[in-house]
Amino acid sequence: MRLPKETFEEAVNQIIDSAKYMHLKERESIFKKFWEKLGKLLEKIFTKGDTHSSINTNTTQNTFIIIVILLIGVLIFYLVRQNKYIAENKKVIYGETIDEETTYESLYKKAIQCEQEKNYKDATRLHFISILVSMNEKSLCFLDDSKTNREIIKVLKDKEFSGVYLFKNIGDYFQYIWYGNKEIEKEKFIWYKDQINNLFMEVKNYHEKA
């Protein structure tokens, strides 16, 4: 008995289209060639089955079902590994999710947008996080959602970073705003932004000593 190729494709599509595995569509290109090759392989297997009358129909169907179940298991295992990898490479720093796509520039643009909307508190927060990301990009101080400002300052001193006290002033003010839930006036924000820009230049010009 030759099982139609459409039967296999329909079984796979039902799984991919289910709500639980809707995110598989984002990786459709990764698996497309794999499914095509698999379909051809199964087609060869079942075509051979037509030429051998001794192969029982039920055995063929059971073989097909087992293959599909195994493939689904492999697919789910792969997705679990992928999701775990993504989760491990995401951090939440002061309410902002940081992943591999986050850069100083992307955070700076968000901060400017908040500033234009007169949302100085969020602009202050995003500017501070952008500095942490820029230091991470320069391998000056790696991002850690559990690291305190005091611990960061210690790392900066150990690396003989020239802007360590500038960072301390900015960090102290940010924590006053963040943990104290304080509002920030435009004049104070302008001062803070100037300090952030000065610190960014210090980070940009930093070169770790050999």
Side-chain angles (χ1 to χ4, degrees), residues 103-131:
T103 63
Y104 168 83
E105 289 76 14
S106 65
L107 290 170
Y108 185 82
K109 288 178 181 178
K110 289 179 69 174
I112 294 299
Q113 183 177 351
C114 288
E115 180 183 349
Q116 292 172 346
E117 296 170 354
K118 300 185 186 305
N119 183 2
Y120 299 123
K121 187 173 182 179
D122 270 338
T124 299
R125 176 179 67 90
L126 288 165
H127 276 307
F128 184 71
I129 300 170
S130 72
I131 283 296

Side-chain angles (χ1 to χ4, degrees), residues 178-194:
W178 177 256
Y179 292 111
N181 196 26
K182 305 291 185 181
E183 294 300 325
I184 179 171
E185 297 179 355
K186 183 177 180 180
E187 292 75 17
K188 195 66 175 177
F189 174 76
I190 292 173
W191 167 85
Y192 177 85
K193 186 179 176 182
D194 285 341

Side-chain angles (χ1 to χ4, degrees), residues 27 74-89:
R27 298 185 177 92
V74 171
L75 185 61
I76 292 173
F77 175 77
Y78 172 80
L79 291 172
V80 169
R81 289 288 299 273
Q82 285 290 99
N83 290 337
K84 183 179 179 182
Y85 173 79
I86 292 171
E88 289 176 348
N89 284 273

Side-chain angles (χ1 to χ4, degrees), residues 140 158-161 206-210:
L140 182 57
D158 290 343
K159 295 208 172 187
E160 300 182 10
F161 176 57
Y206 171 78
H207 296 287
E208 188 171 3
K209 295 182 179 179

Side-chain angles (χ1 to χ4, degrees), residues 5-210:
K5 183 179 177 181
E6 289 77 9
T7 303
F8 172 76
E9 292 178 346
E10 183 180 354
V12 173
N13 287 334
Q14 284 179 354
I15 295 169
I16 294 178
D17 288 335
S18 66
K20 186 176 180 180
Y21 300 109
M22 187 62 69
H23 57 289
L24 289 180
K25 286 185 176 294
E26 298 176 0
R27 298 185 177 92
E28 186 176 354
S29 60
I30 299 176
F31 300 103
K32 188 174 181 180
K33 292 183 179 180
F34 175 72
W35 295 127
E36 289 176 354
K37 291 181 179 180
L38 180 63
K40 291 178 181 179
L41 177 61
L42 290 175
E43 188 175 5
K44 288 180 180 180
I45 292 173
F46 294 125
T47 300
K48 289 180 180 179
D50 288 339
T51 62
H52 295 80
S53 58
S54 61
I55 297 180
N56 185 274
T57 299
N58 290 333
T59 302
T60 305
Q61 290 176 335
N62 290 338
T63 301
F64 174 79
I65 292 171
I66 291 171
I67 291 174
V68 171
I69 291 173
L70 289 174
L71 289 171
I72 291 171
V74 171
L75 185 61
I76 292 173
F77 175 77
Y78 172 80
L79 291 172
V80 169
R81 289 288 299 273
Q82 285 290 99
N83 290 337
K84 183 179 179 182
Y85 173 79
I86 292 171
E88 289 176 348
N89 284 273
K90 278 187 177 181
K91 296 181 177 67
V92 178
I93 308 292
Y94 297 114
E96 194 72 17
T97 300
I98 309 297
D99 56 28
E100 294 179 334
E101 303 298 322
T102 306
T103 63
Y104 168 83
E105 289 76 14
S106 65
L107 290 170
Y108 185 82
K109 288 178 181 178
K110 289 179 69 174
I112 294 299
Q113 183 177 351
C114 288
E115 180 183 349
Q116 292 172 346
E117 296 170 354
K118 300 185 186 305
N119 183 2
Y120 299 123
K121 187 173 182 179
D122 270 338
T124 299
R125 176 179 67 90
L126 288 165
H127 276 307
F128 184 71
I129 300 170
S130 72
I131 283 296
L132 296 179
V133 170
S134 68
M135 290 195 298
N136 180 76
E137 291 173 351
K138 292 286 279 187
S139 298
L140 182 57
C141 184
F142 294 108
L143 278 176
D144 186 343
D145 50 2
S146 64
K147 194 182 292 292
T148 65
N149 278 3
R150 181 176 296 180
E151 291 171 327
I152 293 174
I153 290 171
K154 183 179 184 306
V155 172
L156 297 180
K157 285 182 177 180
D158 290 343
K159 295 208 172 187
E160 300 182 10
F161 176 57
S162 59
V164 60
Y165 293 107
L166 187 57
F167 175 83
K168 183 181 185 305
N169 291 336
I170 291 171
D172 287 347
Y173 181 73
F174 167 73
Q175 292 199 335
Y176 168 76
I177 297 296
W178 177 256
Y179 292 111
N181 196 26
K182 305 291 185 181
E183 294 300 325
I184 179 171
E185 297 179 355
K186 183 177 180 180
E187 292 75 17
K188 195 66 175 177
F189 174 76
I190 292 173
W191 167 85
Y192 177 85
K193 186 179 176 182
D194 285 341
Q195 299 303 304
I196 284 287
N197 289 335
N198 291 337
L199 180 56
F200 173 70
M201 293 306 299
E202 293 285 351
V203 174
K204 184 179 179 181
N205 295 328
Y206 171 78
H207 296 287
E208 188 171 3
K209 295 182 179 179

